[in-house]
mmCIF file of all heavy atoms in Angstrom:
data_model
loop_
_atom_site.group_PDB
_atom_site.id
_atom_site.type_symbol
_atom_site.label_atom_id
_atom_site.label_comp_id
_atom_site.label_asym_id
_atom_site.label_seq_id
_atom_site.Cartn_x
_atom_site.Cartn_y
_atom_site.Cartn_z
ATOM 1 N N ALA C 223 11.649 -9.298 2.998
ATOM 2 C CA ALA C 223 11.560 -10.890 2.547
ATOM 3 C C ALA C 223 10.280 -11.023 1.640
ATOM 4 O O ALA C 223 10.333 -11.560 0.545
ATOM 5 C CB ALA C 223 11.418 -11.724 3.769
ATOM 6 N N ASN C 224 9.323 -10.295 1.974
ATOM 7 C CA ASN C 224 7.997 -10.361 1.236
ATOM 8 C C ASN C 224 8.205 -9.657 -0.276
ATOM 9 O O ASN C 224 7.827 -10.337 -1.212
ATOM 10 C CB ASN C 224 6.905 -9.502 1.814
ATOM 11 C CG ASN C 224 6.416 -10.142 3.099
ATOM 12 O OD1 ASN C 224 5.606 -9.600 3.924
ATOM 13 N ND2 ASN C 224 6.626 -11.422 3.208
ATOM 14 N N LYS C 225 8.902 -8.550 -0.216
ATOM 15 C CA LYS C 225 9.213 -8.028 -1.510
ATOM 16 C C LYS C 225 9.968 -8.918 -2.490
ATOM 17 O O LYS C 225 9.816 -8.952 -3.662
ATOM 18 C CB LYS C 225 9.783 -6.646 -1.318
ATOM 19 C CG LYS C 225 9.042 -5.524 -0.855
ATOM 20 C CD LYS C 225 9.696 -4.227 -0.642
ATOM 21 C CE LYS C 225 8.649 -3.178 -0.149
ATOM 22 N NZ LYS C 225 9.471 -1.971 0.221
ATOM 23 N N LEU C 226 11.023 -9.541 -1.872
ATOM 24 C CA LEU C 226 11.940 -10.500 -2.664
ATOM 25 C C LEU C 226 11.013 -11.559 -3.231
ATOM 26 O O LEU C 226 11.349 -12.213 -4.297
ATOM 27 C CB LEU C 226 13.115 -11.024 -1.730
ATOM 28 C CG LEU C 226 14.158 -10.076 -1.461
ATOM 29 C CD1 LEU C 226 15.094 -10.639 -0.415
ATOM 30 C CD2 LEU C 226 14.933 -9.668 -2.752
ATOM 31 N N ASN C 227 9.972 -12.066 -2.377
ATOM 32 C CA ASN C 227 9.089 -13.111 -2.901
ATOM 33 C C ASN C 227 7.886 -12.655 -3.760
ATOM 34 O O ASN C 227 6.958 -13.343 -4.006
ATOM 35 C CB ASN C 227 8.540 -13.900 -1.705
ATOM 36 C CG ASN C 227 9.629 -14.921 -1.189
ATOM 37 O OD1 ASN C 227 10.286 -15.529 -1.979
ATOM 38 N ND2 ASN C 227 9.749 -14.944 0.121
ATOM 39 N N GLY C 228 7.893 -11.413 -4.119
ATOM 40 C CA GLY C 228 6.821 -10.801 -5.010
ATOM 41 C C GLY C 228 5.522 -10.541 -4.318
ATOM 42 O O GLY C 228 4.500 -10.436 -4.886
ATOM 43 N N VAL C 229 5.518 -10.629 -2.995
ATOM 44 C CA VAL C 229 4.264 -10.339 -2.140
ATOM 45 C C VAL C 229 4.308 -8.728 -1.902
ATOM 46 O O VAL C 229 5.214 -8.097 -1.614
ATOM 47 C CB VAL C 229 4.459 -11.026 -0.758
ATOM 48 C CG1 VAL C 229 3.259 -10.711 0.044
ATOM 49 C CG2 VAL C 229 4.474 -12.614 -1.022
ATOM 50 N N ASP C 230 3.116 -8.194 -2.065
ATOM 51 C CA ASP C 230 2.933 -6.637 -1.772
ATOM 52 C C ASP C 230 3.034 -6.502 -0.358
ATOM 53 O O ASP C 230 2.345 -6.999 0.475
ATOM 54 C CB ASP C 230 1.693 -6.192 -2.349
ATOM 55 C CG ASP C 230 0.550 -6.926 -1.735
ATOM 56 O OD1 ASP C 230 0.467 -8.073 -1.572
ATOM 57 O OD2 ASP C 230 -0.572 -6.257 -1.388
ATOM 58 N N ALA C 231 4.105 -5.605 0.086
ATOM 59 C CA ALA C 231 4.273 -5.350 1.560
ATOM 60 C C ALA C 231 5.012 -4.008 1.641
ATOM 61 O O ALA C 231 5.752 -3.664 0.854
ATOM 62 C CB ALA C 231 5.082 -6.389 2.157
ATOM 63 N N GLU C 232 4.641 -3.272 2.596
ATOM 64 C CA GLU C 232 5.313 -1.980 2.914
ATOM 65 C C GLU C 232 5.328 -1.731 4.355
ATOM 66 O O GLU C 232 4.608 -2.175 5.175
ATOM 67 C CB GLU C 232 4.696 -0.912 2.175
ATOM 68 C CG GLU C 232 3.093 -0.787 2.325
ATOM 69 C CD GLU C 232 2.512 0.194 1.345
ATOM 70 O OE1 GLU C 232 2.492 1.428 1.514
ATOM 71 O OE2 GLU C 232 1.814 -0.331 0.319
ATOM 72 N N TRP C 233 6.248 -0.921 4.754
ATOM 73 C CA TRP C 233 6.570 -0.631 6.204
ATOM 74 C C TRP C 233 5.929 0.793 6.226
ATOM 75 O O TRP C 233 6.263 1.636 5.549
ATOM 76 C CB TRP C 233 7.978 -0.642 6.680
ATOM 77 C CG TRP C 233 8.206 0.090 7.956
ATOM 78 C CD1 TRP C 233 8.678 1.263 8.191
ATOM 79 C CD2 TRP C 233 7.831 -0.472 9.261
ATOM 80 N NE1 TRP C 233 8.654 1.637 9.538
ATOM 81 C CE2 TRP C 233 8.268 0.530 10.296
ATOM 82 C CE3 TRP C 233 7.150 -1.652 9.686
ATOM 83 C CZ2 TRP C 233 7.968 0.339 11.614
ATOM 84 C CZ3 TRP C 233 7.102 -1.815 11.023
ATOM 85 C CH2 TRP C 233 7.311 -0.935 12.018
ATOM 86 N N ILE C 234 5.022 1.113 7.281
ATOM 87 C CA ILE C 234 4.503 2.407 7.338
ATOM 88 C C ILE C 234 4.646 2.961 8.764
ATOM 89 O O ILE C 234 4.712 2.227 9.833
ATOM 90 C CB ILE C 234 2.923 2.440 7.018
ATOM 91 C CG1 ILE C 234 2.177 1.467 7.868
ATOM 92 C CG2 ILE C 234 2.782 2.093 5.475
ATOM 93 C CD1 ILE C 234 0.685 1.532 7.520
ATOM 94 N N ASP C 235 4.665 4.203 8.881
ATOM 95 C CA ASP C 235 4.846 4.893 10.292
ATOM 96 C C ASP C 235 3.501 5.032 10.883
ATOM 97 O O ASP C 235 2.540 4.852 10.345
ATOM 98 C CB ASP C 235 5.630 6.172 10.086
ATOM 99 C CG ASP C 235 4.904 7.260 9.322
ATOM 100 O OD1 ASP C 235 3.643 7.360 9.382
ATOM 101 O OD2 ASP C 235 5.575 8.053 8.668
ATOM 102 N N PRO C 236 3.610 5.428 12.279
ATOM 103 C CA PRO C 236 2.373 5.594 12.980
ATOM 104 C C PRO C 236 1.290 6.562 12.332
ATOM 105 O O PRO C 236 0.060 6.294 12.379
ATOM 106 C CB PRO C 236 2.744 6.089 14.331
ATOM 107 C CG PRO C 236 4.148 5.572 14.496
ATOM 108 C CD PRO C 236 4.763 5.564 13.100
ATOM 109 N N GLN C 237 1.789 7.683 11.788
ATOM 110 C CA GLN C 237 0.897 8.601 11.141
ATOM 111 C C GLN C 237 0.105 8.021 9.980
ATOM 112 O O GLN C 237 -1.079 8.125 9.815
ATOM 113 C CB GLN C 237 1.606 9.873 10.724
ATOM 114 C CG GLN C 237 0.760 11.063 10.594
ATOM 115 C CD GLN C 237 -0.047 11.300 11.839
ATOM 116 O OE1 GLN C 237 0.442 11.429 12.899
ATOM 117 N NE2 GLN C 237 -1.406 11.537 11.687
ATOM 118 N N GLN C 238 0.836 7.150 9.145
ATOM 119 C CA GLN C 238 0.139 6.434 8.042
ATOM 120 C C GLN C 238 -0.757 5.373 8.563
ATOM 121 O O GLN C 238 -1.807 5.214 7.920
ATOM 122 C CB GLN C 238 1.304 5.792 7.167
ATOM 123 C CG GLN C 238 2.148 6.819 6.440
ATOM 124 C CD GLN C 238 3.308 6.058 5.788
ATOM 125 O OE1 GLN C 238 4.211 5.559 6.454
ATOM 126 N NE2 GLN C 238 3.401 6.119 4.435
ATOM 127 N N VAL C 239 -0.430 4.803 9.660
ATOM 128 C CA VAL C 239 -1.380 3.828 10.345
ATOM 129 C C VAL C 239 -2.652 4.458 10.754
ATOM 130 O O VAL C 239 -3.743 4.071 10.404
ATOM 131 C CB VAL C 239 -0.718 3.140 11.704
ATOM 132 C CG1 VAL C 239 -1.847 2.420 12.409
ATOM 133 C CG2 VAL C 239 0.386 2.364 11.368
ATOM 134 N N LYS C 240 -2.600 5.791 11.346
ATOM 135 C CA LYS C 240 -3.713 6.592 11.641
ATOM 136 C C LYS C 240 -4.563 6.889 10.304
ATOM 137 O O LYS C 240 -5.828 6.905 10.460
ATOM 138 C CB LYS C 240 -3.277 7.757 12.356
ATOM 139 C CG LYS C 240 -4.385 8.595 12.956
ATOM 140 C CD LYS C 240 -4.946 8.073 14.269
ATOM 141 C CE LYS C 240 -5.933 9.045 14.917
ATOM 142 N NZ LYS C 240 -6.485 8.296 16.148
ATOM 143 N N GLU C 241 -3.898 7.205 9.172
ATOM 144 C CA GLU C 241 -4.581 7.642 8.026
ATOM 145 C C GLU C 241 -5.376 6.340 7.486
ATOM 146 O O GLU C 241 -6.513 6.499 7.067
ATOM 147 C CB GLU C 241 -3.649 7.948 6.867
ATOM 148 C CG GLU C 241 -3.083 9.492 7.242
ATOM 149 C CD GLU C 241 -1.866 9.819 6.466
ATOM 150 O OE1 GLU C 241 -1.696 9.041 5.326
ATOM 151 O OE2 GLU C 241 -1.102 10.737 6.802
ATOM 152 N N LEU C 242 -4.838 5.086 7.607
ATOM 153 C CA LEU C 242 -5.482 3.927 7.211
ATOM 154 C C LEU C 242 -6.624 3.647 8.096
ATOM 155 O O LEU C 242 -7.631 3.025 7.692
ATOM 156 C CB LEU C 242 -4.512 2.842 7.036
ATOM 157 C CG LEU C 242 -3.538 2.896 5.766
ATOM 158 C CD1 LEU C 242 -2.386 1.947 5.914
ATOM 159 C CD2 LEU C 242 -4.355 2.578 4.488
ATOM 160 N N CYS C 243 -6.436 3.824 9.357
ATOM 161 C CA CYS C 243 -7.392 3.301 10.368
ATOM 162 C C CYS C 243 -7.565 4.561 11.375
ATOM 163 O O CYS C 243 -6.810 4.429 12.498
ATOM 164 C CB CYS C 243 -6.953 2.070 11.031
ATOM 165 S SG CYS C 243 -8.290 1.342 12.166
ATOM 166 N N PRO C 244 -8.547 5.473 11.172
ATOM 167 C CA PRO C 244 -8.633 6.614 11.945
ATOM 168 C C PRO C 244 -8.988 6.391 13.461
ATOM 169 O O PRO C 244 -8.647 7.234 14.236
ATOM 170 C CB PRO C 244 -9.691 7.505 11.222
ATOM 171 C CG PRO C 244 -9.742 6.979 9.861
ATOM 172 C CD PRO C 244 -9.400 5.505 9.977
ATOM 173 N N ILE C 245 -9.553 5.311 13.753
ATOM 174 C CA ILE C 245 -10.115 5.048 15.123
ATOM 175 C C ILE C 245 -9.048 4.465 16.006
ATOM 176 O O ILE C 245 -9.237 4.371 17.171
ATOM 177 C CB ILE C 245 -11.348 4.063 15.127
ATOM 178 C CG1 ILE C 245 -10.851 2.742 14.509
ATOM 179 C CG2 ILE C 245 -12.534 4.594 14.481
ATOM 180 C CD1 ILE C 245 -12.001 1.685 14.819
ATOM 181 N N ILE C 246 -7.790 4.237 15.471
ATOM 182 C CA ILE C 246 -6.708 3.639 16.282
ATOM 183 C C ILE C 246 -6.036 4.652 17.183
ATOM 184 O O ILE C 246 -5.946 5.795 16.674
ATOM 185 C CB ILE C 246 -5.730 2.844 15.382
ATOM 186 C CG1 ILE C 246 -5.113 1.771 16.223
ATOM 187 C CG2 ILE C 246 -4.804 3.710 14.644
ATOM 188 C CD1 ILE C 246 -4.307 0.685 15.336
ATOM 189 N N ASN C 247 -5.666 4.343 18.354
ATOM 190 C CA ASN C 247 -4.899 5.053 19.073
ATOM 191 C C ASN C 247 -3.314 5.143 18.909
ATOM 192 O O ASN C 247 -2.723 4.061 19.259
ATOM 193 C CB ASN C 247 -5.207 4.733 20.606
ATOM 194 C CG ASN C 247 -4.496 5.642 21.619
ATOM 195 O OD1 ASN C 247 -3.915 6.775 21.206
ATOM 196 N ND2 ASN C 247 -4.619 5.344 22.890
#
């Protein structure tokens, strides 16, 4: 829905979450 409205949004997997925030479990 965000993409259709021109809002920057993406779905990321747990590994990508860890890359963006290394301290998360």
Side-chain angles (χ1 to χ4, degrees):
N224 289 162
K225 286 178 176 174
L226 288 171
N227 279 318
V229 177
D230 58 316
E232 49 193 277
W233 170 257
I234 60 175
D235 63 33
Q237 204 51 51
Q238 291 169 297
V239 171
K240 186 78 171 174
E241 285 165 22
L242 285 164
C243 187
I245 60 172
I246 203 164
N247 181 5

